Amino acid sequence: MSSIHDALDKAIQNAELEKENTSLKNVYHDQVISAHGTQHSVDPALLRQRRIVSLNNHDVESEAFRMLRTKILKQLRDNNWNSFAVTAPTQGAGKTTVAVNLAIAMAMDVNQSVLLVDLDLKYPKVHWYFGLENENGLRDYFLSGKPLSDIFVSPGIDRLTILPGRGQAVGSSEILSGPRMKTLVNEINSRNQSRIVIFDLPPVLATDDVLATMDYYDAILLVVEEGKSQPDEVKKTLKLLSGKNLLGTVLNKSQNPPEYLGY
């Protein structure tokens, strides 16, 4: 008898999940942003599967990103900043997951538009989270002279635009130190000066890409992984980033989330 009840409970849960996904698709799946570049219809179920929770305001986990969004937006506005980078001491801390969730959360604010730029030229992953199969990426902009208009992607979420990566780029720090990087930032800013620009960068201790780009954004958000990021790694990272505005540190993959979430 208990197995029957378990099966019924599972069926009800699956039905509720399907209803939630269908509702989200009705709201977001067919939205199109009026921006140059490729149009893409986001799949809410795929995002959730890949730990992108900010799209659903009813998800308890998304509350953490909405709170983070509000705190960061206040700092940006108080200091008249419009750009920041997301990075981590080492690989695997979940910096891109945080960057994507935060970009979506900020775009959910009706007063704010957001551009998410994948500057992790060695291991770009922003496109993967959105299920993009883009033909062009920032590597093509830097190495082949592709115009940004061919690289911009509108993922079907109002007020959010993406500059995705594609494939690995050899000599990434040299590329980011070159004149095309300055041209990229100037063009981004000239298109929309009021937009928040989020740069997803490689880990600080894995490459010198972060140091090569520090002049091109106003502040940095550091992501550390609970139980993995070592204190000496964090200290070394903060020392390398000294002199740059630090928005704060995000403790990712925490096993003990705050009890007040889900109010």
Side-chain angles (χ1 to χ4, degrees):
M1 181 67 72
S2 61
S3 61
I4 295 176
H5 285 302
D6 290 343
L8 286 173
D9 289 341
K10 186 175 182 180
I12 292 172
Q13 291 172 2
N14 289 339
E16 290 177 346
L17 181 60
E18 179 63 27
K19 181 179 179 181
E20 177 182 317
N21 287 337
T22 301
S23 176
L24 282 172
K25 287 179 180 179
N26 290 338
V27 174
Y28 297 108
H29 193 74
D30 295 324
Q31 289 184 352
V32 177
I33 303 174
S34 57
H36 296 294
T38 304
Q39 307 295 312
H40 176 75
S41 294
V42 69
D43 183 350
L46 178 65
L47 290 178
R48 188 66 181 85
Q49 180 184 346
R50 294 178 177 177
R51 305 188 306 282
I52 305 304
V53 299
S54 293
L55 195 62
N56 184 3
N57 283 331
H58 301 293
D59 193 316
V60 174
E61 295 178 6
S62 70
E63 181 62 33
F65 287 103
R66 292 197 296 275
M67 293 180 67
L68 180 63
R69 167 199 65 189
T70 302
K71 292 178 180 179
I72 290 178
L73 283 177
K74 185 179 187 307
Q75 290 187 70
L76 295 177
R77 290 164 181 166
D78 287 349
N79 291 282
N80 198 28
W81 297 336
N82 73 338
S83 64
F84 66 95
V86 181
T87 186
T90 56
Q91 189 175 5
K95 64 175 183 62
T96 305
T97 306
V98 171
V100 173
N101 271 299
L102 190 53
I104 293 175
M106 286 186 169
M108 299 285 277
D109 184 333
V110 296
N111 298 310
Q112 191 61 65
S113 60
V114 181
L115 173 64
L116 177 59
V117 183
D118 194 342
L119 272 189
D120 193 338
L121 298 183
K122 289 185 177 180
Y123 300 103
K125 202 173 180 182
V126 169
H127 65 289
W128 177 82
Y129 281 96
F130 288 93
L132 302 178
E133 296 181 359
N134 45 303
E135 295 181 358
N136 300 305
L138 278 174
R139 182 188 66 174
D140 303 292
Y141 169 84
F142 285 116
L143 300 180
S144 304
K146 277 282 184 182
L148 289 185
S149 57
D150 289 350
I151 304 173
F152 280 118
V153 174
S154 298
I157 300 172
D158 277 343
R159 298 173 294 279
L160 176 62
T161 307
I162 301 170
L163 271 177
R166 184 183 72 88
Q168 293 184 338
V170 178
S172 56
S173 61
E174 289 78 13
I175 293 172
L176 295 173
S177 300
R180 289 287 284 174
M181 180 62 193
K182 184 175 182 179
T183 303
L184 169 69
V185 174
N186 288 340
E187 184 171 351
I188 287 173
N189 291 334
S190 67
R191 285 173 176 264
N192 188 339
Q193 295 184 356
S194 64
R195 175 171 54 190
I196 298 297
V197 182
I198 303 175
F199 295 97
D200 179 39
L201 294 178
V204 175
L205 302 181
T207 174
D208 59 344
D209 290 13
V210 176
L211 301 180
T213 59
M214 286 180 67
D215 291 338
Y216 296 114
Y217 38 84
D218 297 311
I220 291 179
L221 181 68
L222 186 65
V223 178
V224 298
E225 180 181 356
E226 183 179 49
K228 182 177 179 181
S229 298
Q230 300 300 312
D232 60 325
E233 295 173 343
V234 176
K235 289 180 181 178
K236 186 175 181 180
T237 298
L238 291 174
K239 185 176 181 180
L240 289 171
L241 299 178
S242 62
K244 197 66 182 177
N245 302 310
L246 185 66
L247 291 171
T249 302
V250 175
L251 180 62
N252 197 28
K253 304 181 184 180
S254 174
Q255 300 301 312
N256 299 294
E259 295 181 358
Y260 51 76
L261 292 181
Y263 171 76

